[in-house]
Amino acid sequence: MELLSMENISKKIKRKRILKDITFSLEKGHIIGLVGGNGAGKTTLMKVILGLSNYQSGTLKNHISTNQNDIGALIEAPGLYPFLTGYENMKLIDEDPDNKNINLIIEKLKMEDFIHNKAKTYSLGMKQKLGIALAFLNHPQLVVLDEPMNGLDPRAVKDVREAIINLREQGVTFLISSHILSELVKVTDSLLIIDKGEIVRETTMDELNQTDENDLENVLLNIIDRKEKA
């Protein structure tokens, strides 16, 4: 089942091309990784999907319901109320009056030790976990995560990874960008490789695993290099 599709989406700011003819779709229950260097267009692409950034041409078809909570997102730094506790930040947007889903997410992400402290006291990793928890609330159909592992220690990375896989098994779709390729490949079904605003390759993890090279980073860099030289 297709949740969302983009066809020939292009965007410019003044004369600078940010996105060029972006075409792909998101299927229910799939995890798609978005890979590219700084300035490649990853965050802009995610903002277009979320309706936070406009585009000049192309077609975006959203088959997700019109309920705004059906899409969860963490883009750049999480927006938190610093003088509220983490729990209170979650309650502000939770649709469940019994807060059962809040408690479940806190348990999955191992946030019990700090969730009742004020957000202004949080470390970078704690803020990141809370931002991810907010994206998971209200049973979204699609979750968009921009560098979700930023600031997380190895234990927290594992907690987040397991939570993502668990939600995927429940039918949630993910679009995740990350510079930590070794972690990204543990959860993704397929990868979109973007360079200079253009998708240079869409591939599955099975296809990448069949290459002769052992280092995934070199595989991806070689794909981009070949595109630039073509």
Side-chain angles (χ1 to χ4, degrees):
M1 175 183 172
E2 186 178 273
L3 288 186
L4 183 145
S5 64
M6 307 182 82
E7 185 174 354
N8 297 322
I9 294 290
S10 294
K11 176 182 177 65
K12 288 184 178 180
I13 297 179
K14 296 182 178 180
R15 294 186 177 182
K16 184 178 180 180
R17 181 185 69 183
I18 308 300
L19 299 175
K20 179 185 178 184
D21 296 330
I22 298 291
T23 299
F24 72 96
S25 61
L26 299 175
E27 301 290 332
K28 180 178 175 63
H30 281 219
I31 301 177
I32 297 89
L34 187 59
V35 178
N38 292 331
K42 302 188 299 298
T43 300
T44 300
L45 174 56
M46 289 179 157
K47 286 182 176 180
V48 167
I49 289 174
L50 296 170
L52 301 176
S53 182
N54 62 359
Y55 55 94
Q56 281 77 44
S57 61
T59 302
L60 191 157
K61 295 181 180 179
N62 186 346
H63 305 293
I64 302 169
S65 75
T66 55
N67 185 339
Q68 64 177 358
N69 289 322
D70 282 334
I71 300 180
L74 173 61
I75 300 294
E76 299 171 333
L80 307 174
Y81 291 95
F83 291 98
L84 297 181
T85 67
Y87 198 92
E88 289 167 341
N89 270 274
M90 295 180 75
K91 283 184 68 175
L92 282 177
I93 66 170
D94 186 28
E95 294 183 331
D96 179 6
D98 296 325
N99 305 132
K100 292 179 180 178
N101 196 36
I102 286 182
N103 296 326
L104 182 62
I105 292 171
I106 289 170
E107 181 180 352
K108 283 183 178 180
L109 294 178
K110 309 291 193 302
M111 301 168 64
E112 296 92 342
D113 289 345
F114 62 86
I115 196 63
H116 293 291
N117 299 336
K118 289 185 178 180
K120 69 175 184 176
T121 68
Y122 284 11
S123 66
L124 175 59
M126 292 174 183
K127 290 177 181 177
Q128 194 73 356
K129 261 196 176 183
L130 180 55
I132 293 168
L134 292 168
F136 289 174
L137 269 178
N138 300 318
H139 309 287
Q141 296 182 51
L142 170 64
V143 177
V144 179
L145 300 175
D146 188 12
E147 299 291 344
M149 307 306 181
N150 183 36
L152 300 184
D153 61 32
R155 176 70 249 185
V157 167
K158 185 174 185 292
D159 295 337
V160 171
R161 183 204 315 145
E162 291 175 350
I164 288 172
I165 292 172
N166 179 261
L167 287 171
R168 188 264 304 275
E169 291 171 350
Q170 298 175 38
V172 179
T173 300
F174 285 85
L175 178 63
I176 305 172
S177 78
S178 180
H179 286 103
I180 308 175
L181 300 179
S182 60
E183 187 59 39
L184 193 60
V185 299
K186 294 177 183 177
V187 297
T188 52
D189 299 301
S190 59
L191 288 178
L192 296 173
I193 304 170
I194 186 170
D195 184 51
K196 297 179 180 177
E198 184 177 4
I199 292 178
V200 297
R201 183 167 170 183
E202 182 172 359
T203 185
T204 66
M205 293 313 306
D206 288 340
E207 289 174 346
L208 281 180
N209 289 334
Q210 292 172 5
T211 63
D212 293 331
E213 298 180 67
N214 295 320
D215 188 339
L216 177 59
E217 291 187 9
N218 287 334
V219 174
L220 299 177
L221 287 172
N222 286 339
I223 290 170
I224 292 173
D225 289 342
R226 286 196 295 271
K227 176 66 178 178
E228 289 180 343
K229 293 174 182 178

